[in-house]
Amino acid sequence: NAGVTQTPKFRVLKTGQSMTLLCAQDMNHEYMYWYRQDPGMGLRLIHYSVGEGTTAKGEVPDGYNVSRLKKQNFLLGLESAAPSQTSVYFCASRPSGGAGEQFFGPGTRLTVL
Amino acid sequence: GESVGLHLPTLSVQEGDNSIINCAYSNSASDYFIWYKQESGKGPQFIIDIRSNMDKRQGQRVTVLLNKTVKHLSLQIAATQPGDSAVYFCAENAGGTSYGKLTFGQGTILTVHP
């Protein structure tokens, strides 16, 4: 099993450009999450999904959109990138049910100039 | 909103020493806590977790202690090794219909000197 994978690993955008980050998991997990991590801070939840076709806002959703058309994939979109969105983005997944470990991908480092 | 925080942002120890990383939480409704290790350039890796009906849980070289009275969580690493150098995060789950969402602390940088 590859676990949780993220593409791309690195990306540089200009202000106003758009892009989509892809997260894929092969563990048949119901729940998936997108976080951002900024220097000196913990991970902050952007959006999450509790199943195919469902999404919900997290702590810092503004400027981002998400889609979960297939159970194994969770896409994070930036329609008009801003320098404040320069960050490292992590995707995670876990089975449904009560609290438990989330499995993380390796991250995408995004720079917006 | 309520959040999880850490007392010390950095910890420096000698190889072979025991390390203790602390975490304070404020949400009394949290029923699950977890520690992650993050090495440079990588995603967080699970270390150990504990549910609120326990006050101690042990793993291989690691122990998590939970004190609900003072809302405090700690991670103890025995015989710390250079490979333990990383950032350590605690996180909490608020319970109920939270869909497993975790609130993370800011992290503690652990540096182990040979």
Side-chain angles (χ1 to χ4, degrees):
Chain A
N1 285 353
V4 180
T5 58
Q6 294 182 234
T7 53
K9 288 184 170 51
F10 303 94
R11 186 71 185 269
V12 178
L13 289 179
K14 294 181 179 178
T15 297
Q17 287 185 318
S18 63
M19 78 163 294
T20 301
L21 283 66
L22 172 64
C23 175
Q25 52 94 5
D26 60 3
M27 297 174 282
N28 201 36
H29 287 168
E30 288 292 334
Y31 295 174
M32 296 186 75
Y33 310 85
W34 273 109
Y35 294 90
R36 61 177 289 171
Q37 184 177 36
D38 300 300
M41 298 181 70
L43 284 76
R44 292 183 293 168
L45 183 65
I46 305 172
H47 285 281
Y48 65 101
S49 168
V50 299
E52 181 179 317
T54 72
T55 63
K57 294 180 180 180
E59 179 187 354
V60 289
D62 293 343
Y64 305 95
N65 57 76
V66 288
S67 63
R68 183 102 181 267
L69 299 180
K70 294 183 178 180
K71 185 177 183 178
Q72 63 268 34
N73 296 337
F74 195 26
L75 279 63
L76 178 71
L78 287 73
E79 289 188 350
S80 180
S84 61
Q85 294 178 303
T86 293
S87 190
V88 182
Y89 291 85
F90 288 99
C91 176
S93 72
R94 63 161 294 230
S96 62
E101 176 190 357
Q102 291 182 14
F103 297 80
F104 282 85
T108 294
R109 183 173 293 276
L110 175 66
T111 301
V112 183
L113 302 175
Chain B
E2 297 183 356
S3 63
V4 176
L6 291 169
H7 293 302
L8 299 174
T10 62
L11 179 63
S12 185
V13 301
Q14 291 296 128
E15 182 177 2
D17 287 351
N18 295 333
S19 302
I20 300 176
I21 301 171
N22 296 302
C23 177
Y25 68 95
S26 57
N27 187 351
S28 57
S30 292
D31 63 357
Y32 173 82
F33 304 87
I34 187 168
W35 283 98
Y36 281 95
K37 173 187 179 183
Q38 186 178 27
E39 296 174 281
S40 181
K42 297 183 178 181
Q45 293 176 276
F46 170 85
I47 301 173
I48 193 167
D49 58 5
I50 188 168
R51 300 194 182 274
S52 60
N53 60 354
M54 303 172 68
D55 54 20
K56 180 179 180 179
R57 191 167 189 216
Q58 289 184 292
Q60 187 176 15
R61 284 201 306 119
V62 294
T63 300
V64 56
L65 298 178
L66 175 62
N67 185 331
K68 294 182 288 292
T69 302
V70 295
K71 296 177 185 170
H72 184 266
L73 191 69
S74 68
L75 176 70
Q76 301 178 0
I77 304 174
T80 315
Q81 303 167 0
D84 294 327
S85 294
V87 180
Y88 289 81
F89 293 96
C90 65
E92 62 177 332
N93 175 266
T97 56
S98 64
Y99 299 111
K101 290 183 291 181
L102 296 173
T103 300
F104 283 81
Q106 68 180 94
T108 292
I109 301 171
L110 174 65
T111 302
V112 183
H113 300 283

